[in-house]
């Protein structure tokens, strides 16, 4: 019998969901996920992993199956990419997250990673959602680029309905008429989620803006908006990246951003205390 009590919608005084991954708790403090858009080689992944860890990242990201607009673009290294990601995670000491595209791959991809990512294009792939729900690993569910908050939560509900409470929502920008940015990063969704759901929510300013120059500011803005973390693309040499080089930070840029992230996080402790006082 499925656990029918699990639901994404919060009830009064309900505690927020905390998602534990090794030593990291998503939903407590501010979790930073960083790494390349895709795993390209062992050297690239391990060097990037070690450098983001040195800068203070909590979790390593890296795609092995890439959902590309063109079938002729680099599709990711597949199983080889997962083996490299696992090794980069071990060498850096960081838990790892990767996107899974196909329900048939879920059970074996789980053997390599700590968190399964469902991408924007698959947010409403219900067979994939059911499969990741059964897998027993935390799920990072990106917002569909054309989806409302309520559609997004309904998709999270599919995972919960399989008995898996460990869902992390990720705002990654939506399609609007604006074309200066790759997507329109909807930061108002962060406090909106907090109003209606107990699930943790993080922000991806890399895909959300598609512009290197905007990533740091949007990371900082995510902290102020009350997000539980961010996911940022970092490449050891963005000019040579096989995917999303234009929005990838270099390791020194990431290091400099992280100093500001941790500083702002400290300020947020005081802001949150003032919030609690004023809501009494
Ligand atoms: C990604 O994070 O690598 C990715 C493809 O993101 P999205 O699904 O948000 O486009
Ligand atoms: Mn990318």
């Amino acid at each position: 019998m499925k656990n029918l009590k699990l639901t994404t919608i919060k009830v009064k005084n309900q505690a927020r969901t905390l998602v534990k991954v090794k030593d990291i708790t998503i939903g407590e403090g501010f979790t930073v996920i960083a790494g390349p858009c895709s795993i390209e080689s062992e050297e690239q992944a391990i060097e990037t992993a070690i450098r983001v860890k040195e800068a203070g990242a909590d979790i390593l990201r890296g795609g092995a199956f890439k959902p590309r607009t063109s079938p002729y673009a680099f599709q990711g290294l597949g199983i080889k990419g997962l083996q490299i990601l696992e090794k980069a995670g071990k060498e850096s000491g960081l838990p790892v997250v990767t996107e899974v595209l196909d329900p048939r791959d879920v059970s074996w991809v789980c053997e390599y990673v700590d968190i399964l990512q469902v991408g924007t294009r698959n947010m409403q792939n219900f067979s994939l959602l059911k499969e990741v729900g059964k897998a027993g690993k935390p799920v990072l569910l990106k917002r569909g680029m054309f989806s409302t908050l309520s559609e997004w939560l309904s998709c999270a509900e599919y995972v919960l309905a399989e008995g898996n409470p460990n869902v992390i929502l990720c705002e990654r920008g939506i399609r609007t008429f604006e074309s200066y940015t790759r997507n329109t990063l909807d930061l108002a969704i962060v406090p909106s989620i907090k109003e209606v759901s107990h699930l943790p929510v993080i922000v991806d300013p890399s895909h959300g803006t598609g512009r290197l120059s905007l990533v740091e500011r949007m990371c900082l803005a995510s902290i102020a908006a009350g997000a539980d973390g961010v996911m940022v693309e970092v490449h050891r040499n963005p000019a040579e990246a096989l995917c999303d080089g234009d929005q990838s930070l270099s390791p020194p840029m990431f290091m400099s951003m992280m100093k500001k992230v941790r500083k702002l996080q400290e300020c947020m402790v005081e802001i949150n205390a003032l919030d609690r006082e004023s809501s009494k």
Side-chain angles (χ1 to χ4, degrees), residues 37 66 207 233 244 247:
C37 179
K66 295 309 302 175
H207 295 90
E233 287 184 337
D244 288 348
Q247 63 192 37

Side-chain angles (χ1 to χ4, degrees), residues 51-73:
R51 297 191 69 180
V52 298
K53 165 77 182 180
E54 277 168 7
D58 302 297
I59 297 174
L60 176 67
R61 64 151 285 146
F65 298 99
K66 295 309 302 175
R68 303 305 297 278
T69 305
S70 163
Y72 309 116

Side-chain angles (χ1 to χ4, degrees), residues 3-4 31 42 85 92 99 107-108 153 157 159 161 166 173 184 189 198 203 207 234 239 243 246 261 264 271 279:
N3 184 350
L4 296 174
T31 304
E42 192 165 314
L85 180 62
S92 59
E99 178 168 359
S107 60
W108 68 267
L153 288 179
E157 200 77 37
V159 180
N166 296 313
T184 295
I189 207 78
H198 51 86
V203 173
H207 295 90
V234 181
C243 187
D246 292 349
V261 162
L264 190 53
I271 302 282
S279 68

